[in-house]
Amino acid sequence: MTHALPHSAPDGDYEMDPLPSGPLTTIAEVRERAESRGRLRPERHRHPMRWLIMAALVVLSVVFAYPFIWLISASFKPRSDVFDNRLIPQTFTFDNYVTVWQQAPLALWLVNTVVVTALAAVTVTLSSAMVAWGFAYFRFRGRGFLFGLVLATMMLPGAVTMIPTFLIWNALGMVGTLVPLWAQNLFGSAFYIFLIRQFMLALPRDLFDAARVDGASQWAVFWRVALPLSRPALAVALIFEVQASWTDLMRALIYLRDDTTFTVPRGLKSLVDAFGFGGEWHWEIIVTASVIATVPMIVVFFLGQRQIVHGVSAGGIKG
């Protein structure tokens, strides 16, 4: 049996050339043999616009990555060379990474931030999922109106609720502790409720009805069926809140008083006050601490980028 493969003719059409006989099991194998003989060029070679798009993406990636690359480079420079704009340090030193641990309780700040971030991310994800499940699964009068009220809270500026919230925590005696930085998430977030609800609406309702027929309680349906199926949306909410809590400076400035309770953003602010403007102008310490504070978030987004894309795209399937 003789197989024929296409090759490019002068007029741009494909002609068929015979190949040696033999079983060809897949289209990929046919294409691989043809390309190996130079008879069939990949489609990308016939679309210059694709190369232009790729070049533009590379340029934009470099533009967005440059500040962090500069930050890393500056962290390995002595004080006199921090702002020389060389990406490769003329004088390479690790002393900044030793000094920053000596000048500030950075390890304690990192521990405080990890605790606050973990509690804030877990509580807001679970509480938002519960509310989202109620709006997605149950049918009751006024459901659309109540959901609209939840979404309307996103239009309230944070400054509107800042003082009343502070008065509440002050009355509870929690000012100066880490509790106000994460306990507010026990009541969910409008954005995460919307995101998870949209994902749950796309889940087959027959699965939940079948679980109810099998005798599962409402809580069992939510915990054993809905939550496992909603993992992509939950992962998005978790990662977003990790980033938001890790970089939260405003609440740390409002509620934290002692440097033993500082989080990383609040600690960096104290370093800027001590070694930056109005201080000793040791910017090499500040940029080094900034690198240490930024690297964990880059790792989190690198590990969770697939879940972010999947969760956001799947959450918009059904409105």
Side-chain angles (χ1 to χ4, degrees), residues 84-144:
D84 62 6
N85 286 328
R86 292 190 183 95
L87 293 183
I88 300 178
Q90 186 177 12
T91 303
F92 197 90
T93 178
F94 285 98
D95 292 343
N96 298 333
Y97 285 90
V98 177
T99 304
V100 70
W101 294 97
Q102 297 174 346
Q103 296 294 329
L106 195 57
L108 180 60
W109 295 347
L110 287 171
V111 171
N112 292 339
T113 308
V114 169
V115 171
V116 169
T117 300
L119 291 175
V122 172
T123 53
V124 79
T125 301
L126 291 178
S127 59
S128 299
M130 293 179 188
V131 179
W133 169 251
F135 282 119
Y137 179 74
F138 296 102
R139 303 288 188 265
F140 54 89
R141 181 173 299 178
R143 184 183 67 160

Side-chain angles (χ1 to χ4, degrees), residues 52-63:
L52 293 177
I53 295 175
M54 292 178 63
L57 291 175
V58 170
V59 172
L60 291 175
S61 299
V62 172
V63 170

Side-chain angles (χ1 to χ4, degrees), residues 223-284:
W223 188 257
R224 298 181 181 178
V225 182
L227 277 188
L229 293 176
S230 303
R231 279 181 294 183
L234 298 177
V236 172
L238 188 71
I239 294 173
F240 281 6
E241 187 58 29
V242 165
Q243 187 273 335
S245 298
W246 187 274
T247 59
D248 184 15
L249 174 61
M250 182 60 67
R251 283 189 291 186
L253 284 172
I254 294 173
Y255 295 104
L256 301 182
R257 300 288 184 266
D258 188 4
D259 61 353
T260 59
T261 61
F262 281 0
T263 58
V264 168
R266 182 65 182 89
L268 290 178
K269 176 63 169 61
S270 66
L271 289 180
V272 172
D273 295 338
F275 298 103
F277 296 109
E280 302 176 9
W281 294 88
H282 286 281
W283 289 101
E284 74 280 4

Side-chain angles (χ1 to χ4, degrees), residues 163-178:
I163 295 177
T165 304
F166 174 82
L167 294 176
I168 293 174
W169 288 116
N170 188 47
L172 295 175
M174 295 296 180
V175 174
T177 68
L178 297 175

Side-chain angles (χ1 to χ4, degrees), residues 5 22 41-42 71 74 92 144 155 207 255 277 308:
L5 287 178
R41 294 184 178 276
L71 192 71
F92 197 90
M155 295 187 293
L207 294 175
Y255 295 104
F277 296 109
I308 293 175

